[in-house]
Amino acid sequence: MIRTVRHDRSRDGIARSTVLRAALLGALVLVLVIPAAGFGGPTKHAGTQATCQLQVFSWWTGGGEAHGLDALIKIWNKAHPNMKVKNSAVAGGAGTNAKAVLAQRLAAHKPPDSFQGHAGAELQDYIKANQLEPIDFVYKKYGLSKVFPAQLINQIRYKGKLYSVPVNIHRANILWYNPATLRKAGISGAPKSWGQFISALQKAKAKNLIPLALGEQWTQKHLMETVMIGSLGPKGWAALWKKGANWGSPQVTAALNRFKTVLSYTNTDAASLTWQDASKLVADGKAAFNIMGDWADGYFRVDLKKKAGSGYGWAAVPGTTNVYDWLSDSFTLPKGAPHRAAAVQWLGFLGSRKAQDTFNPLKGSIPARKDANTKLYPTYLKYALVQWKGDTLAGSLTHGVVAPNAWATDFGTALGLFLQNKDVAKFQSALKTAHDKYT
Ligand code: GAL
């Protein structure tokens, strides 16, 4: 908003000087602001990118999230002092806040230079809304065409064209625990079956521990997804996202009932905790278990300085042994990126082995590239690298693989109601309605 000061007394004088000042200021603002904000048009230096700030948008700000990105930015800035990264990350796990901010920016045609989007249905949302450029030329230029696994390429390709560079593979279905706490509670190792899990939760409860630490709502959806995969199996889970799926089946009812039982062992203040808060309850010995993605490995190891194996332990969520509930963070080239040429280089850099082998050991993820230097990956990630090769894949709902954002949001709304009323029949029917709406 431009404010002008009135000095002249005569009406005409006021009008003339105000208009003149406003016009001059307006022109100045146009000169100064537009190239920086980049309203979609080419900038003066579009070809050479002499000096610019490369806006990189993600939700990696907190513990377990920021170290990997910071390391990438450091390497990039050193090599590109004229196109340093402006870290435009918006805080909030799983991108709950970031995605809303991004949607506003895209609607206003003020995209960043590159933004984080999950491979799969979430990425397709942006493609279908005409907000992304296809980047096959980036793949060609930087030799990326053969470095990613085929199943991942399938999730970033739409109508024959590629739309993002994946930086990692995360696994959602991990049961984290603190070995010392389990010993204290008389729980002999990580439970594999649901029966063993419930009895372990009961033992923890009897020792006045939080049996299963839980955080804010997206982590509740995350928990639910893993319970469903553990109950229905990867095939049953995959079928739910197709046209004609039977959301009303007794198997789904059983999975939702199991979720309800599991919820009864969680902390009552879940809604006010971040995922890190919930993980920390395990690290601090206050909770026996937490179900979270393997970004928790980054948090335990890099932030909390815990030792894998003794400070924290892990296993597949019961019922999901040899199933990889996967997701992948990938970066895009938005249409109208203000510094497009720099963004193209950034994407090439993200696809490089050096970038992936720097980022992932800190983030708690395995690289999307097939040729990682496995020596650089600590204990949990060595396990993840092996599992990824042999496991059956299941796509994550909470992290964008199987359903578009709108469907996932409807799912979240139904879940919110369920958390209040705990009515499985109503919940199941709302989930069925959501399925019918989006298929
Ligand atoms: C996921 C994202 C991960 C991690 C997690 C917690 O959606 O893919 O990289 O950041 O959220 O915020």
Side-chain angles (χ1 to χ4, degrees):
M1 191 69 169
I2 301 160
R3 288 179 53 193
T4 54
V5 188
R6 293 178 174 208
H7 292 297
D8 302 296
R9 285 193 169 234
S10 85
R11 267 186 76 92
D12 272 11
I14 290 167
R16 262 199 307 275
S17 72
T18 304
V19 166
L20 194 65
R21 279 193 197 107
L24 280 172
L25 270 170
L28 193 64
V29 166
L30 280 173
V31 168
L32 293 177
V33 173
I34 289 190
F39 293 106
T43 63
K44 207 178 166 199
H45 301 295
T48 55
Q49 302 286 347
T51 301
C52 72
Q53 275 203 310
L54 180 75
Q55 294 173 42
V56 175
F57 188 96
S58 76
W59 55 85
W60 293 330
T61 59
E65 311 263 44
H67 296 292
L69 179 63
D70 289 349
L72 285 182
I73 293 176
K74 213 170 157 193
I75 301 177
W76 169 270
N77 284 351
K78 209 168 163 207
H80 305 92
N82 293 336
M83 341 168 179
K84 287 194 174 163
V85 166
K86 179 176 179 214
N87 187 350
S88 310
V90 173
T96 36
N97 306 327
K99 286 187 205 171
V101 172
L102 179 65
Q104 282 173 2
R105 287 189 62 166
L106 295 177
H109 302 291
K110 289 182 183 170
D113 290 306
S114 184
F115 66 81
Q116 176 186 3
H118 289 121
E122 183 184 307
L123 186 71
Q124 283 189 19
D125 277 352
Y126 300 115
I127 302 169
K128 288 176 188 162
N130 207 19
Q131 289 161 330
L132 296 183
E133 273 197 48
I135 56 164
D136 300 71
F137 70 97
V138 176
Y139 274 68
K140 232 183 168 172
K141 186 169 174 193
Y142 293 93
L144 301 179
S145 300
K146 298 216 161 64
V147 303
F148 302 119
Q151 70 268 30
L152 179 55
I153 287 286
N154 286 340
Q155 301 291 335
I156 54 172
R157 190 190 274 132
Y158 184 71
K159 295 196 173 162
K161 291 186 178 148
L162 296 164
Y163 284 90
S164 67
V165 173
V167 289
N168 66 4
I169 306 285
H170 265 307
R171 183 175 180 183
N173 57 322
I174 299 289
L175 177 70
W176 302 97
Y177 58 90
N178 180 332
T181 314
L182 293 204
R183 274 196 299 276
K184 256 189 239 157
I187 301 165
S188 55
K192 287 208 169 75
S193 67
W194 287 104
Q196 285 170 7
F197 188 35
I198 299 299
S199 95
L201 293 172
Q202 280 165 354
K203 280 185 185 166
K205 196 173 176 183
K207 291 277 180 200
N208 283 327
L209 291 162
I210 297 166
L212 180 65
L214 189 62
E216 61 189 304
Q217 204 185 325
W218 73 263
T219 74
Q220 301 166 16
K221 199 201 279 181
H222 183 118
L223 171 64
M224 175 181 170
E225 136 177 359
T226 64
V227 172
M228 288 190 79
I229 296 171
S231 300
L232 300 166
K235 256 197 187 157
W237 171 254
L240 288 178
W241 309 100
K242 299 200 175 116
K243 211 174 172 57
N246 189 1
W247 275 90
S249 75
Q251 287 85 349
V252 172
T253 314
L256 297 181
N257 276 316
R258 179 168 280 160
F259 175 53
K260 184 175 168 178
T261 305
V262 169
L263 276 179
S264 70
Y265 290 98
T266 59
N267 39 307
T268 47
D269 61 349
S272 62
L273 303 187
T274 62
W275 73 261
Q276 291 96 335
D277 294 334
S279 298
K280 195 162 185 301
L281 287 171
V282 171
D284 291 348
K286 293 180 182 153
F289 299 100
N290 173 233
I291 288 177
M292 191 32 60
D294 50 10
W295 39 93
D297 168 65
Y299 180 57
F300 288 136
R301 181 167 44 82
V302 184
D303 291 82
L304 302 183
K305 313 271 180 253
K306 298 283 174 189
K307 254 190 123 143
S310 52
Y312 66 105
W314 60 87
V317 167
T320 68
T321 307
N322 298 329
V323 177
Y324 215 101
D325 177 10
W326 75 277
L327 58 125
S328 169
D329 294 305
S330 72
F331 279 81
T332 58
L333 180 62
K335 283 197 172 159
H339 312 99
R340 183 179 179 279
V344 165
Q345 287 190 51
W346 166 253
L347 292 176
F349 166 64
L350 291 184
S352 70
R353 194 170 172 212
K354 176 164 186 190
Q356 302 225 338
D357 278 347
T358 301
F359 173 76
N360 288 300
L362 292 165
K363 182 68 168 64
S365 40
I366 57 171
R369 286 182 70 111
K370 293 183 282 185
D371 58 355
N373 178 0
T374 52
K375 283 191 199 122
L376 299 172
Y377 290 79
T379 322
Y380 164 78
L381 292 174
K382 280 204 167 59
Y383 153 86
L385 279 162
V386 172
Q387 294 298 121
W388 169 250
K389 284 209 176 118
D391 280 6
T392 305
L393 301 186
S396 172
L397 162 71
T398 316
H399 308 282
V401 181
V402 289
N405 271 329
W407 188 352
T409 303
D410 278 15
F411 209 97
T413 308
L415 172 59
L417 287 173
F418 175 66
L419 293 169
Q420 303 297 320
N421 62 26
K422 302 278 163 51
D423 185 327
V424 167
K426 272 196 189 143
F427 189 27
Q428 188 166 2
S429 139
L431 297 180
K432 186 178 177 323
T433 306
H435 165 271
D436 296 348
K437 184 169 159 194
Y438 294 102
T439 54

